Amino acid sequence: MRYSKYFIPTYKEIPAEAEIISHQLMLRAGMIRKLTSGIYTFLPLGLKAVRKVENIVREEMNRSGAIEVLMPAVQPAELWQESGRWDFYGKELLRLKDRHNHDACIGPTHEEVITDLVRREIHSYKQLPINFYQIQTKFRDEIRPRFGVMRCREFIMKDAYSFDVDEAGADKSYEIMYDAYTRIFRRCGLHFRAVEADSGSIGGSFSHEFMVLANTGEDEIVNCAACTYAANLEKAEVRARADGKDHGKPSPKPLEEVETPDVRTIDELTSFLSTGPDQIVKTLIFNSDGNVVAALIRGDHEVNEVKLKNLLSADQIELADPHLVEEVTGAPMGFAGPVGLRAKIIADHAIQGMANFIAGGNRVDLHLRNVNVDRDFTVDQFADLRMIARGDTCPRCRGEILFGRGIEVGHVFKLGTKYSKAMRAVYLDEKGEEKLIFMGCYGIGVARTVAAAIEQNHDEDGMIFPIPIAPFEVVLFPLQMYQSDVVAAAERIYKGLLDQKIDVLLDDRDVRPGVKFKDADLLGTPLRVTVSEKTLKQGKLEIKGRSEKTASLIPLASAPAAIAQRVKELYGSAE
Ligand code: ATP
Ligand code: MG
């Protein structure tokens, strides 16, 4: 490609609206432009990077045996009503009506559409297993679109759906996708980690998120320094043992009432009573699908609502509003406690190890001291209810738990029979009996992967693309455009590189060398080849890797082959 005939509208200044580096650089390098909130146009350079990710994804999906299809963006409401998600999905689902007043939505995901296809087309165990995928545009009306194409409303996703005769088959399909994802992100040249993620009511650890490691990532993740355990924060298990031990507990002291005027929060309480938060038990009242549940958590711990929701097998849980709190406890917010409480009580394991603790008194301005489980109240169930915290050890091997941040670029998920049951996707087995199909779903955010790669690979001058997803592999400069021999040599190399199928950008603009160097750094092209008057006299060219400090010289005569060799080496080291 010739720069002069191409379209790369770069900015010098950092765009004020862009908070994170990948967003800033994608705007500055002329890769994307915003149309409206969370909706972007890909300019040629951005599209090239997207297509490179897509190609890797497509190759690896095909290699894994998945079959490409293309499903529509607009989906009829009936399918979503059948699956039950029309009411459940909430405001991220963009709903519309057609001229016949039929409800429809713009697909945020395609479980319903693919299940509908499969229930019509697949009837026998002989047609299974099968895995369909597509690379297609999704729409999710995100509450807070931000960070450019990282979290936008309209975005390109690769989504795949596997169909199997039974659970064992579904596990195998899951494994195949997990391995394909590992190859995909490795081939993209990314540092990533697959972490266990919440799989809701499906249970088990049958959901993994593929996280690109980056400090600006929206997700907090943990991993063990000693073993392979890794999970996102909401999924991370907390070992029951340390929290749960109750040997050596002090003997119970008499229960005392303490007047605590206007003292409601843990901070207020610790300073008022001159005690540590680990001596206090918080009582959180939840509304779980219309039922009231009290969750007890140690004062210095944080409740994990996902764990609570899964434990209760609830569709939805939320903290009770002040009105409900008052109704249940008889006191305003801030004074709830377990003693005398008429609600199901679930307590975190840590409470098992506590004695003579402080808790709310279910009366305004009252707390209780020396509260003890069993003597003063009954716990219906002890469970792991809290967020993992610094200092906790690995739930598998007791190793050190490290905290980090990541960008979720992919997600693999075992669905079981959730959709096949709701939408009656069945097959006939060998005996002619009707059985439900087992499903899995697997997504990759294509443009988010590009943004994540930039987030992970940049310096103060611009992007440093891993070569497999770089818009161009090589940028070639004739430094003095007024020198015909310089231009002619550059043209020869350009042609030679094109013949070798190298994706090369010839910067043939008649601008100052400084401008070319700056733009090359901004664009993050992995290899830069400079043809200048000075080196040409020695029969040489300058070549420099984007992240190298200094350039080296290569003979002009063998140039295209030597450059192609460097490109090949970069591919080797990217993976
Ligand atoms: P997130 O938690 O980031 O909202 P999600 O769990 O909703 O993601 P999935 O439904 O698993 O995402 O979608 C599959 C993939 O699509 C994600 O792993 C991510 O890479 C991408 N993706 C999801 N939402 C967006 C978005 N708003 N903008 C860009 N990519 C997205
Ligand atoms: Mg989301």
Side-chain angles (χ1 to χ4, degrees), residues 92 140 142 151:
E92 267 190 28
R140 294 183 183 178
E142 296 273 352
R151 180 168 300 284

Side-chain angles (χ1 to χ4, degrees), residues 53 177 330 362 459 567:
V53 173
M177 282 297 102
N362 295 326
D459 62 14
V567 167

